[in-house]
């Protein structure tokens, strides 16, 4: 068995805030998180805002010390051997900030290369390589303050790859990026794992996690709720069953009628070309297809299909 | 300091300097202290003693470096946090102290422009040039005074970040520095009850040495003690700053922010 | 209308005055003026004598009142512009004159406070003969200077609003007032054209009144100077209001209201 790239054992992080009366209020950001991430894989960390995703990334990247438990990155403890961890990680935080706006993209990379002690010749070579990887070679001479949001994000990623790290933390890398740009950034991830690198990705986009991740962990209120491959999450952890009813024409009142069926959790309606699609969410493993077909009748029904929930539907069912 | 850290320090100075030397801001910084320097020059011309004019002429350069540099240098760490580059600096291979020291050096470049402009204002208002009797010793002492001002300002980089001192605190610290650093008068001109405060700062000692070298009537016996005291205090301030930076990094990693508690 | 005025005054004061927090107010408004008086007094004593120290100290006391209003009002107007609330103001039916005036009046009280602080600083370094000072005249002068400087501060604020830069406006205006109004260099020592300019600047008459009051002049003797000071302050306030309205009209034409600092 190969050594894991990242390993957490009972990792916890709480914050203590002093109140006006002199007492203390403890907030638990992360509780008892245990993970094992294999080298050369993409690990997705999902969860709502405030779940503890960024806290986890900050602990693993040595920016924050845990209040309980332990974590190792490439065999080095993140607290006691922080300097060794930092040599082999790349951190991509994204956003509009985190870059020097009055310097060009190239100068930003040159600066961070120097901070990371890359010799000048190697720095030049790495800068050219990473700019090529993110498709920014022709805009590297422009001042960052003139970059679009997507260009800044590419530069963030380029900076994160500058030292050719073995482990890369991508914190919501495609947030706020247009669909084409976002897909181009996603296409980078398999290239990284093909080089044997390990990627820990946090994201709100379920389809992104579904597309990219070998393993996904869902955390909520600082606790691990589900862990497994995206398919496993959909099949084993999901707390919802899904039935899709396709009608040849919209039918008023049918959605309300379906909602009144005992056991149905919710019904959503959407247009699918000329058709109307009603998606019925039920408890898992429940046989509702017959009830739905009976309620819909025979006229105007194109299909009634029980399907596997998407990762997003599974995620929502876990967190509700 | 390793070769890598030295390269990093140089990169910080060069690249942060380019960030700081933007034309519009540079012009503003350059002229900021000119009115105060002109007023100081007029006050100095009330005296018939050329040594006092020399004191003010060179003192306003340091005054400008202090006034314009303190806020920039002191806020450098907070600026890193706001710009969200602090995390990247922390996870790099270069110690935070080295990065911020380079940034402090870079940020005093615009302040130096202000110093030159202030000196010229004194010459114009005073309608004379300052007299320097022993130029080499004076230049070395003045350079030490300059370094003293920078090192004193640098102490506030981690200190104000730890205490979350805002713009108001900077303004008061700057004013304290103007009063006690010996820019417009020697420490001996302070009321006896508070003169000891100035003796805890390196710049007044270095200025004493510089003026002893500048004035024909200057006491050469002040030069060596001035140097010794200034260098000792500078070393102490740097050591304190280094220790404060370890507190900064510890607080950031333990609490997740620069806020106390 | 009075309630509306009070709400606007209170809101803009609390929302746009950066130094209102105790951590900034105490050092900037109460400590710094005292320290600057100490600096000038000591410089005067070192260069010349005690009389020079007192002359500069009084000048600095008067200047401090203008300094705090220039700083606070340029801040307030500038942060309105870059904070993104200016478009909301200009899209409203709010009376612009009321809004303009409401921004300045709450700052009035800072003038006497700063003067008191500066006076303490002066006293520590160069004690005055308390018996010889015309205290009623000093108090009235401080109150008039505070009123006039609010008017001037509103003009400075309008300039900061127009140029979208707090530092540029504050530094330039504060420097001009320091150099050319007699707080340090007597007006009659300035070159001819500058001496003429000084008579049209704020503080020039007020600092003369304050120096006379410290030397024991009774109130009637300095009343003409105070009247001139107040009139100049009001004139600058009106000019500032005109500039404020012009910025609104110009921004509508050119679409620059949302543009960040120049």
């Amino acid at each position: 068995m190969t050594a894991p790239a990242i390993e957490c054992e009972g990792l916890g992080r709480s914050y203590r805030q002093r109140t006006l009366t002199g007492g203390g209020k403890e907030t638990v950001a992360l509780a008892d998180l245990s993970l094992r991430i294999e080298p050369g894989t993409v690990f997705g960390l999902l969860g709502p805002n405030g779940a503890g995703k960024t806290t986890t990334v900050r602990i693993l990247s040595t920016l924050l010390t845990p209040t309980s438990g332990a974590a190792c990155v490439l065999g080095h403890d993140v607290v006691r051997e922080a300097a060794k961890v930092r040599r082999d990680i790349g951190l991509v935080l994204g956003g509009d900030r985190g870059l020097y706006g009055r310097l060009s993209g190239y100068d930003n990379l040159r600066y961070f290369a120097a901070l990371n002690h890359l010799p000048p010749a190697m720095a030049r070579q790495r800068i050219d390589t990473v700019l090529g990887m993110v498709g920014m070679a022709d805009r590297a001479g422009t001042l960052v303050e003139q970059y679009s949001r997507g260009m800044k994000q590419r530069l963030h990623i380029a900076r994160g790859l500058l030292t050719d790290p073995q482990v890369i933390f991508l914190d919501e890398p495609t947030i706020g990026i247009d669909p084409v740009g976002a897909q181009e950034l996603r296409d980078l991830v398999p290239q990284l794992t093909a080089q044997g690198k390990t990627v820990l990705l946090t994201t709100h986009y379920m389809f992104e996690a579904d597309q990219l991740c070998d393993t996904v962990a869902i955390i909520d209120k600082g606790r691990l709720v589900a862990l497994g491959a995206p398919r496993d999450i959909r099949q084993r952890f999901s707390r919802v069953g899904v039935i899709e009813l396709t009608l040849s024409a919209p039918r008023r009142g049918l959605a309300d009628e379906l909602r009144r069926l005992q056991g149905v959790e919710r019904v959503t309606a959407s247009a699918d070309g000329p058709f109307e699609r009603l998606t019925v969410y039920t408890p898992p493993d429940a046989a509702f297809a017959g009830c739905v077909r009976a309620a819909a009748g025979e006229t105007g029904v194109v299909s009634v299909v029980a399907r596997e929930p998407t990762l997003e539907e599974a995620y929502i069912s876990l967190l509700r | 300091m390793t070769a890598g850290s030295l390269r990093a320090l140089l990169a910080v100075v060069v690249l942060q300097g380019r960030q700081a030397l933007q034309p519009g801001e540079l012009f503003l910084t350059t002229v900021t202290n000119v009115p105060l320097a002109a007023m100081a020059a007029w006050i100095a011309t009330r005296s018939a003693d050329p040594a006092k004019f020399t004191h003010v002429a060179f003192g306003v350069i340091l005054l400008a470096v202090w006034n314009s540099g303190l806020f920039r240098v002191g806020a450098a760490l907070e600026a890193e946090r706001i710009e969200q580059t602090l995390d990247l600096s922390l996870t790099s291979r270069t110690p935070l102290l080295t990065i911020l020291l380079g940034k402090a050096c870079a940020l005093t470049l615009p302040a130096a422009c202000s110093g030159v402009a202030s000196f010229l204002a004194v010459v114009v208002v005073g309608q004379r040039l300052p007299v320097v009797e022993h130029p080499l010793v004076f230049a070395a002492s003045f350079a030490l005074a300059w370094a003293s001002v920078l090192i004193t300002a640098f102490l506030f980089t981690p200190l104000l970040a730890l205490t979350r001192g805002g713009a108001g605190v900077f303004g008061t610290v700057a004013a304290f520095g103007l009063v006690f650093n010996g820019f417009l008068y020697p420490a001996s001109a302070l009321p006896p009850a508070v003169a000891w405060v100035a003796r805890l700062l390196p710049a007044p000692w270095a200025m004493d040495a510089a003026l002893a070298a500048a004035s024909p009537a200057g006491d050469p016996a002040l030069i060596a003690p001035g140097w010794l005291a200034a260098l000792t205090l500078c070393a102490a301030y740097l050591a304190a700053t280094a220790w404060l930076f370890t507190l900064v990094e510890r607080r950031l990693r333990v609490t997740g922010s620069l806020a106390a508690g | 209308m009075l309630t509306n005025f009070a709400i606007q005054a209170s809101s803009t004061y609390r929302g746009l005055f950066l130094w209102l927090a105790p951590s900034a107010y105490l050092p900037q408004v109460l400590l710094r003026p005292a320290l600057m008086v100490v600096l000038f007094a000591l410089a005067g004593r070192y260069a010349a004598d005690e009389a020079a120290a007192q002359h500069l100290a009084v000048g600095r006391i008067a200047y401090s009142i203008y300094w705090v209003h220039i700083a606070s009002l340029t801040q307030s107007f500038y942060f309105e512009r870059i904070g993104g609330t200016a478009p909301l103001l200009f899209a409203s039916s709010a009376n612009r004159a009321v809004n303009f005036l409401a921004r300045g009046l709450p700052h009035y009280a800072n003038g006497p406070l700063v003067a008191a602080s500066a006076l303490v600083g002066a006293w520590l370094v160069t004690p005055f003969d308390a018996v010889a000072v015309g205290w009623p005249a000093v108090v009235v002068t401080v109150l008039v200077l505070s009123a006039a400087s609010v008017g001037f501060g509103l003009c400075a604020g309008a300039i900061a609003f127009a140029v979208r830069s707090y530092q540029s406006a504050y530094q330039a205006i504060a420097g001009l007032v320091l150099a050319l109004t007699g707080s340090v260099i007597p007006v009659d020592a300035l070159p001819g054209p500058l001496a003429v300019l000084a008579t049209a600047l704020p503080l020039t008459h007020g600092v003369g009144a304050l120096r006379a009051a410290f030397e024991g002049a009774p109130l009637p003797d300095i009343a003409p100077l105070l009247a001139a000071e107040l009139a100049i302050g009001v004139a600058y306030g009106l000019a500032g209001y005109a500039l404020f309205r012009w910025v609104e009209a110009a921004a509508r034409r050119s679409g620059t209201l949302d543009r960040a600092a120049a």
Side-chain angles (χ1 to χ4, degrees):
Chain A
M1 197 182 198
T2 53
I6 298 173
E7 192 167 23
C8 308
E9 190 63 47
L11 200 64
R13 173 73 213 193
S14 56
Y15 295 91
R16 191 169 182 79
Q17 284 173 296
R18 282 203 207 103
T19 59
L20 287 171
T21 55
K25 183 190 164 193
E26 193 164 78
T27 307
V28 177
L30 201 61
D32 197 27
L33 181 70
S34 296
L35 297 172
R36 184 189 166 91
I37 302 174
E38 299 302 328
T41 63
V42 183
F43 189 94
L45 200 56
L46 312 181
N49 292 333
K53 304 188 299 295
T54 300
T55 301
T56 304
V57 168
R58 292 180 71 81
I59 291 173
L60 295 175
S61 59
T62 75
L63 288 172
L64 198 59
T65 54
T67 47
S68 61
C72 288
V73 175
L74 297 170
H76 302 300
D77 186 277
V78 296
V79 176
R80 291 193 309 272
E81 300 176 281
K84 289 181 181 171
V85 170
R86 290 169 184 174
R87 284 196 198 124
D88 286 317
I89 63 169
L91 184 60
V92 179
L93 298 171
D96 272 329
R97 296 183 179 229
L99 294 165
Y100 294 102
R102 292 169 179 173
L103 300 179
S104 65
Y106 191 94
D107 281 341
N108 266 273
L109 294 178
R110 194 153 61 102
Y111 173 74
F112 285 108
L115 283 194
N116 285 287
H117 297 189
L118 292 186
M122 184 187 291
R124 280 192 293 274
Q125 185 241 320
R126 285 299 303 163
I127 290 171
D128 289 340
T129 301
V130 298
L131 285 172
M133 283 178 76
V134 300
M136 285 285 292
D138 58 341
R139 296 303 304 270
T142 308
L143 297 182
V144 166
E145 63 190 7
Q146 294 171 20
Y147 283 2
S148 66
R149 180 73 191 271
M151 291 164 70
K152 285 180 186 173
Q153 195 64 17
R154 288 167 194 263
L155 193 64
H156 280 304
I157 293 174
R159 195 251 331 272
L161 300 177
L162 205 49
T163 57
D164 199 18
Q166 288 308 299
V167 172
I168 301 153
F169 298 99
L170 296 177
D171 196 5
E172 301 190 24
T174 58
I175 198 163
I177 310 298
D178 68 277
V180 171
Q183 188 55 47
E184 287 173 356
L185 291 176
R186 280 183 215 112
D187 290 342
L188 270 177
V189 176
Q191 293 178 36
L192 297 174
T193 53
Q195 295 170 27
K197 298 183 191 308
T198 307
V199 176
L200 189 151
L201 167 77
T202 71
T203 181
H204 279 300
Y205 301 133
M206 297 303 118
F207 68 89
E208 186 169 271
D210 214 346
Q211 176 188 341
L212 296 175
C213 298
D214 301 300
T215 312
V216 161
I218 298 177
I219 58 175
D220 185 29
K221 297 189 181 68
R223 292 192 178 274
L224 187 66
V225 173
L227 176 67
R231 189 188 171 87
D232 288 340
I233 301 288
R234 291 195 299 271
Q235 290 179 346
R236 287 172 45 218
F237 290 97
S238 173
R239 295 178 193 155
V240 72
V242 185
I243 299 167
E244 274 185 354
L245 168 65
T246 306
L247 303 169
S248 58
R251 200 187 299 179
R252 190 191 292 188
L254 179 57
D256 290 333
E257 192 180 330
L258 290 170
R259 285 189 190 103
R260 287 194 290 270
L261 290 176
Q262 191 173 6
V264 167
E265 292 175 1
R266 63 191 173 100
V267 177
T268 62
S270 60
D272 182 12
F275 305 121
E276 182 185 33
R277 174 168 293 135
L278 297 178
T279 307
V280 183
Y281 295 95
T282 69
D285 302 324
F288 266 83
C291 298
V292 170
R293 187 178 285 282
E298 297 298 329
T299 313
V301 175
V302 175
S303 65
V304 179
V305 175
R307 64 162 173 77
E308 191 176 86
T310 62
L311 186 61
E312 181 163 340
E313 289 164 342
Y315 168 87
I316 292 171
S317 76
L318 282 166
L319 298 181
R320 276 204 163 186
Chain B
M1 197 180 263
T2 63
S5 286
L6 274 173
R7 269 199 303 271
L9 180 63
L10 192 60
V12 173
V13 174
V14 169
L15 292 170
Q16 294 286 359
R18 285 170 56 187
Q19 274 257 111
L21 291 172
Q22 297 296 313
E25 274 184 39
L26 184 59
F27 173 75
L28 185 64
T29 305
T30 300
V31 301
T32 282
N33 295 293
V34 165
L36 188 56
M39 297 303 102
W42 187 86
I43 295 171
T45 54
R46 303 304 94 196
S47 170
D49 183 353
K52 294 184 179 178
F53 181 80
T54 300
H55 188 135
V56 169
F58 289 103
V60 296
I61 299 176
L62 300 178
L63 182 153
V65 171
W66 172 258
N67 241 6
S68 296
L70 174 69
F71 180 77
R72 292 164 187 268
V73 170
L77 190 56
E78 188 66 9
E80 286 276 303
R81 186 189 69 80
I82 291 168
E83 290 296 318
Q84 294 177 12
T85 48
L86 183 57
D87 286 348
L88 305 166
S89 297
L90 277 171
T91 52
S92 75
R93 298 181 195 186
T94 304
L96 196 61
L97 170 67
T98 306
I99 296 171
L100 271 297
L101 179 61
K103 207 168 177 183
C105 293
L107 291 170
T108 53
L109 294 175
C113 296
S114 184
V116 170
S118 298
F119 177 80
L120 291 173
V122 168
V123 167
V124 166
V125 170
Q127 296 180 347
R128 67 186 93 155
L129 287 171
V131 173
V132 175
E133 188 70 12
H134 306 288
L136 285 177
V137 178
F138 171 81
S141 302
F142 187 73
L144 177 59
W146 185 301
S148 300
V149 170
L150 177 60
I151 288 168
T152 307
F154 190 45
L155 175 70
F156 289 95
T157 301
L159 186 64
L160 290 175
L162 287 168
T163 57
R164 299 311 293 272
V169 177
F170 278 118
T172 308
V173 170
F176 264 111
L178 291 179
V179 172
F180 288 103
N181 262 319
F183 301 138
L184 302 184
Y185 42 79
S188 55
L190 286 161
V194 295
W196 61 270
V197 176
R199 292 307 180 190
L200 296 176
L201 298 167
W205 292 101
M207 278 298 281
D208 283 350
L211 291 160
S215 170
D219 182 0
L222 289 175
I223 297 176
W227 270 75
L228 186 62
L231 286 169
T232 305
L233 285 166
C234 283
Y237 275 53
L238 279 173
T241 305
W243 175 70
L244 286 169
F245 268 105
T246 64
L247 292 186
V248 165
E249 198 159 338
R250 190 180 306 160
R251 180 179 288 179
L252 282 168
R253 294 191 70 205
V254 171
T255 68
S257 77
L258 283 170
Chain C
M1 188 168 186
L2 213 54
T3 308
N4 188 289
F5 181 88
I7 291 171
Q8 288 188 59
S10 162
S11 302
T12 54
Y13 189 67
R14 287 181 296 115
L16 297 171
F17 182 30
L18 192 68
W19 294 345
L20 194 57
S23 60
Y25 194 85
L26 182 65
Q28 281 287 65
V29 179
L30 297 182
L31 277 179
R32 191 167 186 267
L35 288 168
M36 294 307 289
V37 168
V38 167
L39 176 73
F40 275 77
L42 288 175
R45 181 190 289 159
Y46 173 64
D49 52 27
E50 198 63 34
Q54 291 193 349
H55 177 91
L56 290 167
V58 174
R60 190 70 203 190
I61 292 170
Y63 174 77
S64 297
I65 299 171
Y66 269 84
W67 167 80
V68 75
H69 288 140
I70 293 169
S72 58
L73 286 163
T74 49
Q75 272 181 39
S76 296
F77 278 83
Y78 170 70
F79 288 125
E80 180 93 79
R81 188 81 193 253
I82 66 155
T85 48
L88 302 171
L89 166 66
F90 291 148
S92 75
S93 56
N95 183 302
R96 303 296 193 255
V98 167
N99 182 268
F100 186 76
L101 196 59
R103 288 162 189 281
L105 285 189
H107 292 267
Y108 176 81
N110 292 326
L113 278 172
V114 160
S117 158
L119 188 59
V120 168
W123 200 273
L124 290 172
V125 177
T126 175
F128 294 92
D129 180 356
V131 174
V133 173
W135 290 110
V138 167
V139 170
V140 171
T141 303
V142 166
L143 294 175
V144 168
L145 274 171
S146 299
S149 66
V150 166
F152 184 72
L154 284 169
C155 182
I159 294 172
F161 193 80
V163 302
R164 283 173 275 142
S165 173
Y166 153 55
Q167 284 294 334
S168 301
Y170 161 62
Q171 301 283 3
I173 296 169
L176 197 72
V177 171
L178 176 67
L180 296 180
T181 56
S183 65
V184 177
I185 304 176
V187 172
D188 51 18
L190 293 170
L194 291 179
V196 171
L197 174 63
T199 57
L201 288 175
L203 185 60
T204 306
H205 300 91
V207 75
L210 192 64
R211 284 201 171 109
F214 266 92
E215 287 164 6
L219 196 53
D221 286 3
I222 63 172
L225 291 172
L226 294 180
E229 183 72 27
L230 196 57
I232 290 174
V234 169
Y236 275 99
L238 290 171
Y241 177 64
L243 177 61
F244 186 62
R245 295 304 309 271
W246 179 84
V247 170
E248 178 181 355
R252 281 187 205 282
R253 282 195 303 272
S254 57
T256 55
L257 197 53
D258 290 325
R259 196 176 294 168

